[in-house]
């Protein structure tokens, strides 16, 4: 039999305080830049998974006459909540040809349709219902507030493509209705404990081919040359360990007859070395590929996770770099003073409001348009509450980093070109000496 006074759950209580802070100190709405009309919204949906010996639910539906702060206090005061495990839900997008976000781990959400959506919050509600079948207008869904909005643009350009608006909900029931996944949009859903997202052991990297960003209109040969120089770009990621997953069995990637075939040969020693050199060893496909949270979605979650114990989400983050050892070495040397400066600025806190986003998109920035991974700048948050000083630490660390990294790429390419010319000259010289003999 459970005690009437459950032991204090540090993470659960920290989550309560964070949600109360988000509700009391909303972030300002970001207006669309000139020439950009598109907006999109996503939903960060939280719940507490009851333990094995959970008490019967006492408070589930939210009383409209009770404030959100009071509703949070009542919810988190329950014994089954204190003994439970806080979680949030992610979707894995369905595989689609030509979709830059195909098979990515993301939050439920999508684009705003002016004829259907009253506001940005309504977009998140509608898209969540369409994609996974969860009604955020339910009396069990407690709306908390928003996370920082941001303007995103195409990679290596200044053309804005949308404003992205994240919103937060807490499911206050001990049980959740069954999801209904949209096959064209969602391959699977995954509930992941917050303690997994906060754990150092879950930190890893995602490897991305960025050759097309350096040669957007170049030939396949040029992209191959760039890829051989750079390898792949490595981004911080979190390997997700779900407590509960649901797969859409009607999608092509759920079960492919090709997976029943004998494994194909690994190729020659040269091809295997080349794949290792590019970092392809970390890019396995299919069911064997781990669920990785990175890029745009990780950037949004970073605004949230850094407010939870042990408050070291930024310390676990690592700078984007490349898999080619010489490119990585030169970038490391070039950025030593910059990293020290930015770390000092971070210790002082209260700096610019910035946040990392996706490798596929970048925030509009007038003073530094050449981002590789993406950095959101210029969005001023409310000066009230702790969120104004704790939400953008990654952005402080990345200040001027991408410009220096890009310089390192060209230095590495030049060094390789010189080395290649010297090597060819040496071979030709030796050959001529042998012929003259």
């Amino acid at each position: 039999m459970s005690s009437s006074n459950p032991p204090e759950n540090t993470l659960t209580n920290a989550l309560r305080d964070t949600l109360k802070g988000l509700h009391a100190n909303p972030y300002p709405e970001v207006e669309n830049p000139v020439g950009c009309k598109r907006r999109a919204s996503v939903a960060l949906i939280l719940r507490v998974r009851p333990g094995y010996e959970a008490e019967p639910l006492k408070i589930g539906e939210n009383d409209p006459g009770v404030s959100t702060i009071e509703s949070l206090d009542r919810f988190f005061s329950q014994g089954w909540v204190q003994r439970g495990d806080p979680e949030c839900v992610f979707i894995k997008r369905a595989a689609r040809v030509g979709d830059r976000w195909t098979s990515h781990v993301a939050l439920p959400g999508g684009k705003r349709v002016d004829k259907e959506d009253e506001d940005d919050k309504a977009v998140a509600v509608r898209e969540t219902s369409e994609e996974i079948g969860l009604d955020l207008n339910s009396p069990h869904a407690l709306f908390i507030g928003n996370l920082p909005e941001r303007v995103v643009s195409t990679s290596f350009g200044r053309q804005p493509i949308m404003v992205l608006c994240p919103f937060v909900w807490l499911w206050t029931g001990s049980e959740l209705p069954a999801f209904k996944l949209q096959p064209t949009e969602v391959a699977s859903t995954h509930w992941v404990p917050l303690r997994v997202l906060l754990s150092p052991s879950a930190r890893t990297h995602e490897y991305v081919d960025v050759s097309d960003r350096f040669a957007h209109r170049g030939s396949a040969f040029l992209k191959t040359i760039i890829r051989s120089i750079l390898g792949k770009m490595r981004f911080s990621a979190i390997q997700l360990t779900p407590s509960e997953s649901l797969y859409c069995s009607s999608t092509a990637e759920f079960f492919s007859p090709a997976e029943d075939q004998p494994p194909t040969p690994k190729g020659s020693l040269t091809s295997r070395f080349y794949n290792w050199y590019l970092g392809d060893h970390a890019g396995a496909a299919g069911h064997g590929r781990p669920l990785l949270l990175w890029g745009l979605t990780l950037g949004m979650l970073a605004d949230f996770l850094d407010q939870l114990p042990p408050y070291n989400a930024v310390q676990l983050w690592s700078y984007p770099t490349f898999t080619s050892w010489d490119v990585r070495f030169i970038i490391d040397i070039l950025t030593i003073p910059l990293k020290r400066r930015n770390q000092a600025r971070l210790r002082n806190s209260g700096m610019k409001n910035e946040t990392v986003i996706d490798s596929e998109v970048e925030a509009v920035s007038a003073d530094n348009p050449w981002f590789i991974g993406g950095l959101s700048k210029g969005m001023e948050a409310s000066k009230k509450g702790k969120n104004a000083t704790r939400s953008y630490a990654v952005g402080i660390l990345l200040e001027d980093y991408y410009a220096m990294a890009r310089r390192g790429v060209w230095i590495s390419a030049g060094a390789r070109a010189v080395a290649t010319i010297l090597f060819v000259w040496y071979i030709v010289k030796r050959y001529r000496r042998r012929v003259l003999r």
Side-chain angles (χ1 to χ4, degrees):
M1 180 177 298
S2 60
S3 171
S4 59
N5 296 314
E8 182 176 293
N9 187 320
T10 303
L11 179 57
T12 300
N13 290 335
L15 175 61
R16 175 200 60 204
D17 296 340
T18 296
L19 296 181
K20 291 168 71 173
L22 288 175
H23 177 76
N25 302 291
Y27 287 94
E29 180 179 349
V30 175
E31 297 182 358
N32 285 70
V34 177
C36 174
K37 297 182 179 181
R38 294 171 60 187
R39 299 182 72 88
S41 300
V42 295
L44 173 59
I45 304 168
L46 302 156
R47 75 171 183 184
V48 176
R49 177 182 292 276
Y52 178 74
E53 297 180 348
E55 300 173 359
L57 178 63
K58 297 178 182 178
I59 301 173
E61 296 187 3
N62 302 304
D63 187 348
V66 177
S67 69
T68 300
I69 297 297
E70 186 176 350
S71 295
L72 286 170
D73 284 332
R74 294 175 62 188
F75 174 75
F76 283 99
S77 67
Q78 299 175 88
W80 71 269
V81 175
Q82 286 293 318
R83 294 186 180 88
D85 199 7
E87 301 177 331
C88 63
V89 67
F90 298 97
I91 65 171
K92 182 181 179 184
R93 297 200 175 278
R96 295 187 296 186
V97 178
D99 182 5
R100 62 170 54 183
W101 290 289
T102 182
S103 300
H104 279 203
V105 174
L107 297 173
K111 301 173 185 176
R112 179 170 180 174
V113 181
D114 289 334
K115 295 181 180 180
E116 300 180 22
D117 303 310
E118 178 181 355
D119 53 24
D120 293 322
K121 174 186 171 185
V123 178
V125 173
R126 175 180 57 78
E127 287 286 337
T128 300
S129 176
E130 293 176 357
E131 290 185 342
I132 64 176
L134 181 63
D135 181 13
L136 293 178
N137 288 320
S138 165
H140 293 285
L142 180 62
F143 176 66
I144 302 300
N146 67 337
L147 292 172
E149 300 180 1
R150 65 213 67 197
V151 178
V152 295
S153 71
T154 55
S155 294
F156 294 104
R158 300 186 181 184
Q159 184 62 40
I161 58 176
M162 73 173 70
V163 175
L164 183 61
C165 311
F167 295 92
V168 182
W169 277 267
L170 173 67
W171 189 265
T172 58
S174 60
E175 296 182 356
L176 194 74
F179 285 166
K180 184 179 180 181
L181 309 188
Q182 168 57 261
T184 60
E185 299 287 340
V186 180
S188 55
T189 58
H190 306 274
W191 284 100
V192 180
L194 295 184
R195 55 189 171 86
V196 172
L197 301 176
L198 295 166
S199 173
S201 63
R203 294 298 172 127
T204 183
H205 298 96
E206 172 66 307
Y207 297 81
V208 181
D209 181 3
V210 295
S211 59
D212 58 340
R213 292 154 180 74
F214 283 88
H216 183 63
R217 298 181 180 179
S219 64
F221 175 76
L222 178 59
K223 292 179 180 179
T224 300
I225 295 297
I226 294 175
R227 191 181 301 117
S228 67
I229 296 174
L230 300 180
K232 287 189 175 183
M233 195 164 188
R234 189 184 73 182
F235 293 91
S236 277
I238 300 177
Q239 183 168 336
L240 304 182
T241 304
S243 65
E244 178 182 336
S245 299
L246 176 65
Y247 296 87
C248 187
S249 60
S250 58
T251 58
E253 61 261 46
F254 176 74
F255 179 78
S256 173
E259 295 182 3
D260 289 341
Q261 302 300 321
T264 56
K266 294 184 178 180
S268 64
L269 180 62
T270 302
S271 64
R272 279 185 283 172
F273 174 79
Y274 183 69
N275 288 336
W276 171 85
Y277 173 77
L278 294 182
D280 289 340
H281 60 286
H287 290 298
R289 179 177 173 78
L291 285 170
L292 296 181
L293 176 67
W294 68 286
L296 177 60
T297 307
L298 179 56
M300 289 185 288
L301 262 293
D303 293 334
F304 180 75
L305 294 176
D306 202 44
Q307 302 179 48
L308 299 172
Y311 309 106
N312 64 346
V314 174
Q315 298 175 20
L316 299 178
W317 176 86
S318 61
Y319 281 90
T321 187
F322 292 90
T323 54
S324 296
W325 68 268
D326 54 337
V327 178
R328 186 169 63 249
F329 176 76
I330 291 175
I331 290 176
D332 287 343
I333 295 297
L334 289 176
T335 57
I336 287 176
L338 181 146
K339 291 177 181 178
R340 290 176 178 173
R341 182 202 71 187
N342 291 349
Q343 288 169 0
R345 293 183 60 209
L346 180 60
R347 286 193 296 269
N348 293 332
S349 188
M351 307 304 291
K352 293 180 181 179
N353 291 329
E354 303 163 351
T355 184
V356 67
I357 58 174
D358 200 349
S359 66
E360 303 291 346
V361 292
E362 67 189 27
V364 177
S365 174
D367 59 341
N368 190 359
W370 295 106
F371 290 116
I372 297 173
L375 188 65
S376 178
K377 303 184 68 176
M379 194 278 288
E380 292 295 333
S382 169
K383 298 303 180 182
K384 298 179 180 180
K386 61 183 179 181
N387 297 337
T389 60
R390 300 194 65 172
S391 297
Y392 301 96
V394 171
I396 295 175
L397 291 175
L398 281 172
E399 180 77 15
D400 298 328
Y401 175 79
Y402 286 116
M404 193 67 69
R406 194 166 178 268
R407 184 181 304 175
V409 168
W410 292 117
I411 292 176
S412 301
R416 286 199 185 191
V418 171
T420 301
I421 292 173
L422 292 177
F423 178 75
V424 171
W425 175 80
Y426 174 75
I427 295 298
V428 171
K429 187 176 181 180
R430 288 198 60 180
Y431 176 77
R432 285 181 177 178
R433 286 179 177 177
R434 288 186 179 183
V435 170
L436 293 177
R437 289 176 184 175

